[in-house]
Amino acid sequence: MTQINVDDFLLEVERPARYSNNEYNSIHKDWDTTDIKVALAFPDIYEIGMSNLGLKILYYIINSRPDTLAERVYSPWVDMEKALTLRSLPLFSLESKRPLKEFDVIGFTLQYEMSYTNVLNMLKMSHIPLKSADRMSEKYPLVIAGGPCAFNPEPLADFIDIFIIGDGEEAIVEFLDNYKKVRHLDKQSQLIQLARVQGIYVPALYNVSYNPDQTIKEITPKYSDVPAKIKKRITNLENAPYPDKFILPNLNIVHNRAIMEVMRGCIRGCRFCQATMIYRPARVRSKENVKQLLDRILTTSGFEEVSFSSLSTSDYPEIYPLLSELIEKYEKEKVSFSLPSLRADNFSINLANLVQQVRKSGLTFAPEAGTMRLRNIINKDITDDDLINSIGAGYKAGWKGVKLYFMIGLPFETQEDIEGIVSLVKRLKSLYKGLNLNVNVAPFVAKAFSVFQWHNQEPIDQIRAKKDYLKKHLPVQLKWHTMELSFLEAVFARGNRKLGQVLANAVENGCRFDQWDEHFNNTAWQSAFTKSNIDPGFYANRVMGQEEVLPWSHIDAGVSQEFLWTDYQKAKNMETTPDCHLACSSCGVEECQMDVFRKIEALPATLTQLSQHRTILPPMQKIRVKFSKKGEAKYISHLELMVMFNRALRRAKIPMAYSQGFNPHPKMSFGPPLAVGFESEAELVDIELTNYLELSTMIKNLSREMPPGINIMEGQEVPLVTKSLSASINGAVYELIIDGQLTGALPAYAQVKREEGARIELQMQLPLGEKNIRPDKVCAEIFSPGYKIKQIKRIKLLFR
């Protein structure tokens, strides 16, 4: 099949920019001359998948190889799935619009168990058999998967050919090198050869047997040269490849900013947390490495915000000097910095104050439990006083709100622990009048390789009773996760291969986007379990024994099961385990780097003063730029267009003027918004500058930085006191191409320019502003039913 043409029906879907591609910095390699084709698949919508750092890293690494291309595909929203199904079209990649079936490898990122139905649905939409056993013909791609959920791969074992366990930077390169050598073999031989690569798990090469009570008896390889245990990959973060050209999205995404991973892993040991174990050992990027990478990222992207990525940013050893140097360097460029995953201590509050000296929107803390007794059990070393003092320091510094995250149904929890949440929140409300406090609760879910992996989830009715108690007694707004959804998450987090049939039945029942409340269908899920003759409570509500063979027992995550069991017993006795940087607990992980975490540099005395003196220079020049918006750029909304111009101007090093106030914005004034799907060759934007620039220089530099479909046509200098474009423009002229029949005489504002068969070319002059009339709405009045709009283009803006 050739490339799929979606232009004819993209306007039928809610957000066509999800599927239009041509984002700035996206990579388009020649299909015919590139040897290996990889589709990187994320089982959720574009806005979530485009925010995933792992996918960005893999995209960069694979496309850096001359013999391989990587293209992206995200789970289409239900409206796009309907549009494709109606036309019998398969799911396609963004870059080349090729069907996924034509790729050599499809690689799924697994971040969340409740995305599994989307994985299967994406294969189904691609016209690819769901089960690995039905894809043994060489005409089908290899389907691989990785990510945190791969540490218990068994629920997806029937559907995935290969799992990559652990860090992917080196593993994907070694996989591709070996795949290139064996791709001429039959599929079974390919799998056997690839299974010898460290970190690669091929489910089809292992037998799983069961005891009469349905627990697992053993998991054994079918062949002697297939490893009995699959050892995870660990990457040296300092030397790991990292993308220096982030793709700039064509619509707003969840994390629409530069992401800089400063640290991987965690030095803490929260017993409910999977990430703290599977990402051991904790590793860092040096300060100089971070600075060099960030400089290239900001130069090639124009991002105005940087988020430091890690499980606990305040544990990064050089965080204060790093921020000091970055704030000083990028203050004039108005680059802001955000620090997720801060701890409830004064150290973190000082960090938060440092990076948000002007606009203090909100702080987020995760005490997880309402009493110190339960926090000791879960090994969360935060006291009530720590939390109260941290929030108090933030309150005095001007922070407007606080979010608190708790879990309910934790191991060995009592009613007193639930009441402790209420007491703590009431105490905070009484101490800090006017503080906007929000509380979020989620049911505990046991995960593979967490200390609590053996522990059960409480039955839904018990969890619901605790939630209802909090809702009744808390003096603040309460948000909670859907109980039934958390139950299913617990089922698949500790599930075995038998759940594969449940997944297949659920997809057949229409389950997809289960993590979205509006699409979660618990009735369809219960039907899937009933049809499969499987009790979901066996996986979620049962305490597993020490000697039991766990579904993930053949995966080596580095942390020993002996350590995890010992720590689990300590939890029962309310004993804590010290953080890794304080004392080694002999968890079994090799290549620890704890020495680098044992010294955190202090805050220089001048640093807090540095970020307080932000200068806003006055505008000295105003340039009016005319530009066109055509091709796939027509699917970019007006708001996204404003962001796009801001980043292009930043990349072009054009000295923009900024507004005053708490949240400075570049001083740009656009003409009237153009509807999504309309093209234009007459758009205008006024840009105010703090320094005089030669007009030709500015236009040349800006033109170089524009994404495909947006072309700078010309520019002119206008007086600084010129009225805004929105106040000056009151009409527009449009050209339309329509397939259809006119109902009669045209109104005075429209005229036929050309008529050829059923195709009619019109021109309309319509008002903008308060009396705005859209040309597509006019078509509904002057054409007979069944007409089709082929093109609407704005060709002129009319001034008052």
Side-chain angles (χ1 to χ4, degrees):
M1 180 180 286
T2 56
Q3 294 166 282
I4 296 172
N5 181 12
V6 297
D7 197 54
D8 287 344
F9 60 89
L10 268 192
L11 289 178
E12 296 177 14
V13 304
E14 180 185 4
R15 294 187 180 178
R18 287 171 173 163
Y19 318 101
S20 62
N21 184 232
N22 272 336
E23 308 107 315
Y24 191 86
N25 284 337
S26 60
I27 299 171
H28 299 254
K29 285 191 170 184
D30 184 76
W31 181 272
D32 295 326
T33 59
T34 306
D35 190 19
I36 303 173
K37 288 93 173 175
V38 179
L40 293 175
F42 194 90
D44 211 321
I45 58 171
Y46 177 95
E47 292 93 316
I48 296 175
M50 269 289 288
S51 302
N52 181 262
L53 179 58
L55 201 71
K56 297 176 193 291
I57 292 172
L58 292 176
Y59 186 81
Y60 168 76
I61 291 172
I62 296 172
N63 278 316
S64 296
R65 294 170 59 102
D67 62 345
T68 313
L69 64 77
E71 299 186 355
R72 296 160 296 140
V73 59
Y74 305 97
S75 191
W77 192 241
V78 290
D79 54 359
M80 186 59 168
E81 179 180 352
K82 180 180 178 181
L84 291 173
T85 302
L86 284 173
R87 294 164 176 83
S88 299
L89 291 174
L91 188 57
F92 55 88
S93 67
L94 280 187
E95 280 79 359
S96 69
K97 301 294 190 294
R98 301 268 182 173
L100 295 200
K101 193 175 179 179
E102 294 186 5
F103 285 78
D104 300 302
V105 179
I106 301 174
F108 283 96
T109 297
L110 304 176
Q111 292 288 322
Y112 179 45
E113 290 84 357
M114 298 316 298
S115 69
Y116 290 174
T117 52
N118 277 17
V119 172
L120 270 59
N121 193 51
M122 290 174 77
L123 290 174
K124 181 180 176 182
M125 291 184 63
S126 303
H127 305 167
I128 295 172
L130 299 188
K131 292 195 173 183
S132 178
D134 298 329
R135 297 195 301 267
M136 296 309 289
S137 166
E138 284 69 44
K139 70 178 181 179
Y140 295 117
L142 269 179
V143 178
I144 70 175
C149 289
F151 281 87
N152 178 22
E154 294 306 287
L156 285 173
D158 289 346
F159 312 105
I160 303 297
D161 299 321
I162 288 173
F163 288 92
I164 294 180
I165 312 297
D167 295 337
E169 287 94 338
E170 295 168 354
I172 192 64
V173 173
E174 196 168 340
F175 163 77
L176 290 170
D177 288 342
N178 282 272
Y179 171 71
K180 193 172 182 179
K181 295 175 183 176
V182 304
R183 64 186 302 191
H184 65 284
L185 302 175
D186 62 86
K187 186 71 72 71
Q188 178 75 1
S189 298
Q190 289 180 25
L191 295 174
I192 293 173
Q193 295 293 324
L194 291 168
R196 297 172 180 169
V197 177
Q198 182 188 331
I200 284 186
Y201 169 51
V202 181
L205 302 183
Y206 293 78
N207 289 317
V208 181
S209 58
Y210 298 88
N211 296 309
D213 64 358
Q214 300 306 307
T215 59
I216 295 173
K217 182 178 180 181
E218 59 180 356
I219 304 171
T220 55
K222 295 180 179 179
Y223 305 97
S224 59
D225 56 348
V226 172
K229 271 194 176 272
I230 299 88
K231 187 176 182 180
K232 78 171 182 181
R233 301 295 296 246
I234 300 174
T235 295
N236 182 322
L237 204 62
E238 181 69 1
N239 302 323
Y242 198 80
D244 56 6
K245 287 186 177 181
F246 277 40
I247 299 174
L248 301 187
N250 284 342
L251 71 164
N252 194 25
I253 61 175
V254 174
H255 300 301
N256 198 355
R257 59 185 74 98
I259 303 174
M260 187 65 246
E261 186 185 28
V262 295
M263 174 176 159
R264 189 174 298 177
C266 183
I267 61 175
R268 313 291 172 175
C270 298
R271 290 169 174 148
F272 57 84
C273 183
Q274 180 190 50
T276 192
M277 296 300 168
I278 64 174
Y279 290 120
R280 290 191 177 193
R283 293 145 284 163
V284 300
R285 275 192 173 87
S286 68
K287 181 184 68 173
E288 291 307 312
N289 192 354
V290 169
K291 288 167 57 182
Q292 291 172 13
L293 282 169
L294 195 53
D295 187 62
R296 294 200 295 270
I297 291 169
L298 293 176
T299 298
T300 60
S301 68
F303 280 123
E304 57 286 317
E305 182 182 354
V306 176
S307 175
F308 291 109
S309 171
S310 74
L311 292 173
S312 181
T313 310
S314 54
D315 288 328
Y316 179 71
E318 298 181 284
I319 189 64
Y320 271 154
L322 174 64
L323 282 172
S324 169
E325 294 168 28
L326 291 177
I327 289 172
E328 183 174 13
K329 180 174 182 179
Y330 294 109
E331 189 274 334
K332 289 183 180 179
E333 298 175 34
K334 303 296 181 291
V335 176
S336 62
F337 299 89
S338 61
L339 304 172
S341 308
L342 293 177
R343 291 170 53 79
D345 54 31
N346 285 331
F347 185 86
S348 295
I349 289 293
N350 289 337
L351 283 176
N353 286 333
L354 175 65
V355 298
Q356 294 197 28
Q357 281 287 331
V358 179
R359 185 182 54 158
K360 295 180 170 63
S361 52
L363 292 167
T364 300
F365 297 114
E368 309 294 1
T371 65
M372 198 63 233
R373 184 198 75 88
L374 189 53
R375 281 185 222 123
N376 285 337
I377 287 174
I378 66 175
N379 211 46
K380 186 89 174 183
D381 61 337
I382 296 174
T383 67
D384 283 4
D385 286 343
D386 287 336
L387 187 66
I388 290 168
N389 292 336
S390 296
I391 291 174
Y395 180 78
K396 292 175 183 177
W399 294 88
K400 305 299 182 185
V402 173
K403 288 182 182 178
L404 298 178
Y405 285 86
F406 295 92
M407 277 190 272
I408 54 177
L410 283 161
F412 318 116
E413 182 181 78
T414 66
Q415 180 61 26
E416 286 74 22
D417 299 309
I418 301 300
E419 293 169 0
I421 297 175
V422 175
S423 298
L424 178 59
V425 172
K426 285 184 175 179
R427 188 177 172 192
L428 288 168
K429 288 292 289 183
S430 66
L431 286 171
Y432 309 118
K433 305 296 184 184
L435 180 67
N436 181 19
L437 193 61
N438 290 302
V439 174
N440 294 259
V441 297
F444 162 73
V445 175
K447 300 277 181 151
F449 295 104
S450 68
V451 172
F452 288 151
Q453 63 182 349
W454 291 277
H455 208 84
N456 64 300
Q457 185 182 72
E458 287 187 350
I460 287 179
D461 58 344
Q462 295 181 27
I463 294 176
R464 183 174 286 111
K466 293 178 178 181
K467 182 265 292 183
D468 290 342
Y469 176 88
L470 292 173
K471 186 178 179 182
K472 180 179 179 181
H473 292 91
L474 280 173
V476 298
Q477 180 183 7
L478 176 67
K479 294 183 179 179
W480 62 87
H481 286 214
T482 303
M483 305 299 165
E484 293 79 6
L485 190 63
S486 294
F487 171 72
L488 286 176
E489 181 186 351
V491 170
F492 285 97
R494 300 202 304 171
N496 57 29
R497 291 192 181 192
K498 293 185 177 183
L499 291 179
Q501 188 56 51
V502 178
L503 278 172
N505 289 336
V507 172
E508 188 178 331
N509 291 347
C511 294
R512 56 182 57 66
F513 287 109
D514 299 296
Q515 63 272 45
W516 295 75
D517 288 343
E518 63 265 41
H519 290 290
F520 176 59
N521 186 339
N522 193 49
T523 302
W525 271 105
Q526 297 312 310
S527 173
F529 280 106
T530 300
K531 185 177 180 180
S532 307
N533 195 29
I534 286 179
D535 173 18
F538 176 81
Y539 301 98
N541 302 137
R542 182 176 63 87
V543 176
M544 294 176 169
Q546 180 183 8
E547 302 303 321
E548 182 173 337
V549 177
L550 304 176
W552 51 91
S553 292
H554 54 308
I555 305 297
D556 180 2
V559 179
S560 71
Q561 292 295 333
E562 292 75 18
F563 164 76
L564 294 174
W565 181 262
T566 299
D567 213 41
Y568 183 36
Q569 303 315 301
K570 290 173 69 176
K572 293 179 182 179
N573 297 322
M574 293 180 289
E575 297 177 27
T576 60
T577 297
D579 294 337
C580 294
H581 70 301
L582 299 177
C584 179
S585 300
S586 301
C587 69
V589 170
E590 302 171 356
E591 304 176 22
C592 279
Q593 303 176 5
M594 285 305 105
D595 287 346
V596 302
F597 291 99
R598 293 192 174 113
K599 181 183 177 184
I600 297 180
E601 298 187 37
L603 174 67
T606 59
L607 185 57
T608 47
Q609 298 176 0
L610 176 67
S611 58
Q612 291 176 340
H613 293 88
R614 297 194 174 191
T615 55
I616 303 294
L617 298 176
M620 302 294 290
Q621 185 182 27
K622 181 186 284 191
I623 303 294
R624 177 163 294 170
V625 173
K626 183 179 182 181
F627 63 96
S628 63
K629 189 167 178 266
K630 297 180 179 179
E632 291 193 333
K634 68 185 177 184
Y635 300 118
I636 299 170
S637 75
H638 186 71
L639 288 176
E640 269 79 46
L641 182 71
M642 295 167 66
V643 174
M644 194 173 289
F645 258 88
N646 177 27
R647 290 173 177 170
L649 287 160
R650 296 172 72 90
R651 291 193 301 273
K653 305 295 183 184
I654 292 172
M656 293 180 288
Y658 283 82
S659 62
Q660 302 284 339
F662 291 114
N663 188 21
H665 288 287
K667 301 191 79 171
M668 291 188 294
S669 169
F670 283 81
L674 186 69
V676 171
F678 291 11
E679 293 188 327
S680 177
E681 53 188 40
E683 298 306 287
L684 296 173
V685 57
D686 287 349
I687 303 165
E688 296 185 31
L689 311 180
T690 57
N691 294 329
Y692 283 101
L693 281 185
E694 285 287 339
L695 187 60
S696 59
T697 300
M698 178 188 170
I699 297 302
K700 177 184 175 182
N701 293 345
L702 183 58
S703 296
R704 189 178 60 242
E705 301 298 337
M706 299 309 296
I710 298 179
N711 296 309
I712 304 300
M713 301 169 68
E714 61 185 30
Q716 62 173 320
E717 185 171 354
V718 295
L720 284 170
V721 295
T722 303
K723 281 187 179 180
S724 69
L725 288 166
S726 58
S728 303
I729 295 170
N730 66 352
V733 179
Y734 301 88
E735 285 185 349
L736 296 85
I737 300 176
I738 312 291
D739 287 346
Q741 296 294 322
L742 291 166
T743 57
L746 291 175
Y749 54 75
Q751 58 179 311
V752 174
K753 303 296 290 183
R754 185 181 177 192
E755 192 168 357
E756 185 174 332
R759 176 155 294 185
I760 299 174
E761 296 182 15
L762 289 175
Q763 190 173 97
M764 297 183 188
Q765 181 172 319
L766 299 172
L768 291 171
E770 293 182 2
K771 298 180 179 180
N772 178 55
I773 298 177
R774 287 177 50 137
D776 53 338
K777 303 301 182 185
V778 174
C779 291
E781 300 175 3
I782 64 175
F783 280 92
S784 300
Y787 71 92
K788 189 169 184 179
I789 299 175
K790 304 299 290 185
Q791 183 188 74
I792 298 179
K793 186 197 309 182
R794 189 149 74 184
I795 62 171
K796 189 177 182 181
L797 290 170
L798 304 175
F799 285 75
R800 299 179 190 278

